[in-house]
Amino acid sequence: MTGLLAGLDRAFDRNSFDLRGSSDVGELAKVALRETLSIQLRDRLPTLFEPTPQEIRRTLASFASGDEFARLARDFFARLTYRSLDYYLSRELANHTGEDRRFSTEAQRVAFRQALSQHTFEVSKLSKSMRAVGTARPSGRNKHLIVIK
C-alpha cells in the first residue's frame, strides 16, 4: 500500500512540475486524498501481513460501485474541508489562547479542533441525504429544489 501512495505522490509531483508549481489548496487536497485512501484501504485490507498487489487492486476496484465511491468521496471532502478550515484557523487560534481569551487553556483549543473535525465529518454525512430532485420554473426563473431525507 505504501507503494501505491508513493506512486500517487510522484504523479502529483510530476503534474505540479508540469504546471510550474503547486498551490496551498492543491497541497491540502493531495494530503486529504492520500489520507483518505490510506484509511479506507487500511480498513478493507488484511492487517496481519502486507497486502498483495492483487488485494490492493481488488480493494480499489470496490470503490467503483456507487455507494462505495460516495463513501470515499464524502471522506475525502470531509478531510479536505477540515484541513482547509484548520489551515487558516491554526494561524489565528494561538492569538485566542491564554488567560482572559476565548480558549483559556491549550486543552480547550485542542477540544475545539476536535469538535471542528467531528463537525466536518458529520456535515459530509448530511450531504449524503441531500438530493436535487428537480427544477421548478415559477415566473420563468430557475429554482433548484433540494429535499433532505
Side-chain angles (χ1 to χ4, degrees):
M1 188 165 71
T2 55
L4 171 72
L5 297 175
L8 185 63
D9 275 343
R10 284 191 302 274
F12 277 126
D13 290 343
R14 272 193 313 273
N15 190 41
S16 294
F17 183 74
D18 291 344
L19 296 174
R20 303 198 195 291
S22 64
S23 65
D24 290 343
V25 173
E27 288 298 315
L28 291 171
K30 181 172 83 170
V31 171
L33 178 61
R34 189 176 45 226
E35 186 178 10
T36 298
L37 282 175
S38 176
I39 289 171
Q40 293 289 328
L41 288 171
R42 182 198 67 206
D43 290 347
R44 289 173 171 77
L45 288 168
T47 58
L48 188 55
F49 300 105
E50 184 71 22
T52 67
Q54 293 81 12
E55 290 170 325
I56 293 173
R57 279 189 211 101
R58 189 171 34 252
T59 303
L60 284 171
S62 73
F63 294 127
S65 75
D67 287 342
E68 291 302 313
F69 184 78
R71 183 176 294 127
L72 183 71
R74 279 192 313 274
D75 190 12
F76 167 74
F77 284 111
R79 291 177 194 285
L80 179 59
T81 301
Y82 172 75
R83 289 191 170 282
S84 299
L85 291 170
D86 188 58
Y87 176 79
Y88 294 104
L89 287 173
S90 65
R91 289 161 172 66
E92 188 60 27
L93 286 178
N95 296 329
H96 298 275
T97 303
E99 192 173 322
D100 297 328
R101 296 194 178 170
R102 170 63 178 92
F103 306 106
S104 58
T105 66
E106 181 65 20
Q108 288 178 333
R109 187 170 76 147
V110 168
F112 171 79
R113 291 177 82 179
Q114 289 171 337
L116 179 64
S117 176
Q118 181 179 353
H119 173 74
T120 58
F121 279 88
E122 288 175 1
V123 167
S124 75
K125 289 178 184 176
L126 283 175
S127 68
K128 175 185 178 183
S129 63
M130 295 177 64
R131 296 194 178 122
V133 294
T135 303
R137 296 175 192 246
S139 305
R141 295 182 185 171
N142 291 333
K143 298 282 183 179
H144 297 284
L145 303 176
I146 297 178
V147 174
I148 299 177
K149 295 183 177 182

